[in-house]
Amino acid sequence: MADASLPTVRTVHDLRAVVAGWKRAGQTVAMVPTMGALHEGHLSLVTLARSRADRVVASIFVNPTQFGPNEDLAAYPRDMERDLRLLDSLGVNLVWTPTPEIMYPGGYQTWVQVEALAKPLEGAQRPGHFRGVATVVAKLFNGVQPAKAYFGQKDAQQVAVIRQMTRDLNFPIEIVVCPTVREPDGLAMSSRNAYLGPEQRQAATVLYRALSAAREAYESGERDAEKLRALMRATIAAEPLAKMQYVSCADYDTLEELDQVTGKALLSMAVFVGKTRLIDNFVLG
Ligand code: AMP
């Protein structure tokens, strides 16, 4: 297969040379950060960015600092050729593919740590994860200096952490959040779905089923957050191939667990199907 014609750069120096030319010409720049192994979820972000900016930069970087020592960094799916073809077909103008050595050269020692928002949920289960995420996104933002950056609601806490960091560090960047793209049976698209065998793939709909059960109860008037969490737990417990890690019904803004749902809330969960850890969420209100 021939290489995609789409230009790629590795170093910050080369990236800045291209982006500076666009900015001198008065063109608006948007960016879409990804870890590659692209699916329709990523492509929805790219499509929206493409429709709203003169130039779109996508980054592909499997960021080692957001993976824990027992997580799937080495096994994380990678398919650069396919990714570049897809991005090219959607009209992306430049792909930034830095290496770990470029992002974290020997002697690297600066980290971005968002505090309260990064502690519960994913932060509690994956110590250091959001320190890695906030640091790499700050570096991606500094490299491209886009007017807008596009993220998925699929990673709800990530969005909250990045919004907070953007505000706190005065990045002049608008964070745009796109809805979760799902398979026809409700499973949220994820690069990690590729790990699932056929039976596991069936079982993986349990996240959507559990979230739907809680949302139906909410829509029928249930406001007791513990009852909503219990419904999600029961749905997951009934799926033999699934093992719950956490379920949550939290305040949308603070991510603190609720007793009563009074305003906007986030239902979220992490579930193991075999060795594959899946997350999903719904927003209420
Ligand atoms: P990742 O490559 O997993 O780091 O994801 C890159 C971006 O795509 C992040 O902003 C994710 O939230 C977003 N994303 C991942 N899966 C989906 C999905 N199913 N729907 C919408 N956005 C997604």
Side-chain angles (χ1 to χ4, degrees):
M1 185 64 66
D3 284 349
S5 58
L6 171 59
T8 65
V9 287
R10 278 208 190 286
T11 66
V12 177
H13 179 268
D14 290 351
L15 169 75
R16 289 221 172 116
V18 177
V19 174
W22 295 340
K23 289 192 176 167
R24 271 197 304 278
Q27 290 168 324
T28 57
V29 180
M31 95 165 294
V32 183
T34 82
M35 298 205 299
L38 302 180
H39 51 66
E40 291 295 327
H42 298 112
L43 302 183
S44 72
L45 273 52
V46 168
T47 301
L48 193 65
R50 182 59 287 180
S51 73
R52 292 201 188 154
D54 298 320
R55 291 288 179 261
V56 175
V57 182
S59 59
I60 299 177
F61 179 56
V62 182
N63 175 36
T65 68
Q66 71 189 68
F67 287 78
N70 299 316
E71 294 181 0
D72 57 343
L73 173 63
Y76 197 82
R78 291 161 168 90
D79 192 345
M80 187 63 82
E81 271 202 13
R82 177 174 173 276
D83 290 348
L84 293 179
R85 277 201 306 278
L86 287 168
L87 294 172
D88 195 24
S89 73
L90 294 177
V92 163
N93 302 96
L94 182 69
V95 183
W96 183 20
T97 59
T99 60
E101 294 70 31
I102 287 169
M103 291 307 247
Y104 306 106
Y108 187 87
Q109 50 183 305
T110 302
W111 300 95
V112 179
Q113 193 141 347
V114 175
E115 306 233 323
L117 276 176
K119 286 204 168 75
L121 307 174
E122 291 297 286
Q125 302 297 335
R126 305 183 68 187
H129 172 66
F130 286 118
R131 174 185 188 253
V133 168
T135 300
V136 82
V137 172
K139 290 173 68 74
L140 295 170
F141 282 3
N142 270 328
V144 177
Q145 303 189 6
K148 298 183 185 197
Y150 289 75
F151 294 90
Q153 178 61 32
K154 160 79 176 11
D155 298 284
Q157 189 175 14
Q158 171 170 285
V159 164
V161 165
I162 289 168
R163 277 209 167 113
Q164 186 72 40
M165 177 197 77
T166 302
R167 227 180 0 253
D168 289 350
L169 297 184
N170 309 112
F171 282 109
I173 298 174
E174 182 189 340
I175 306 301
V176 183
V177 182
C178 304
T180 301
V181 177
R182 298 178 180 281
E183 301 285 356
D185 64 5
L187 176 66
M189 293 207 181
S190 164
S191 306
R192 290 189 169 99
N193 294 350
Y195 299 145
L196 300 168
E199 282 180 24
Q200 295 176 334
R201 170 63 188 78
Q202 285 291 314
T205 58
V206 73
L207 289 88
Y208 182 75
R209 288 186 273 124
L211 290 165
S212 300
R215 183 169 63 190
E216 268 171 43
Y218 170 82
E219 283 169 356
S220 307
E222 183 61 75
R223 292 295 180 271
D224 181 332
E226 186 48 33
K227 291 210 170 122
L228 299 178
R229 286 186 290 264
L231 260 176
M232 295 192 282
R233 275 189 217 109
T235 310
I236 298 163
E239 174 52 67
L241 295 185
K243 190 164 176 294
M244 183 193 92
Q245 191 174 50
Y246 69 81
V247 297
S248 164
C249 175
D251 180 87
Y252 179 82
D253 293 313
T254 66
L255 303 183
E256 287 166 9
E257 286 307 311
L258 292 168
D259 295 324
Q260 290 289 315
V261 182
T262 50
K264 205 169 171 187
L266 183 74
L267 298 174
S268 68
M269 59 181 57
V271 175
F272 278 97
V273 177
K275 289 194 172 123
T276 305
R277 185 176 181 278
L278 301 173
I279 61 170
D280 200 354
N281 68 84
F282 280 2
V283 178
L284 300 181

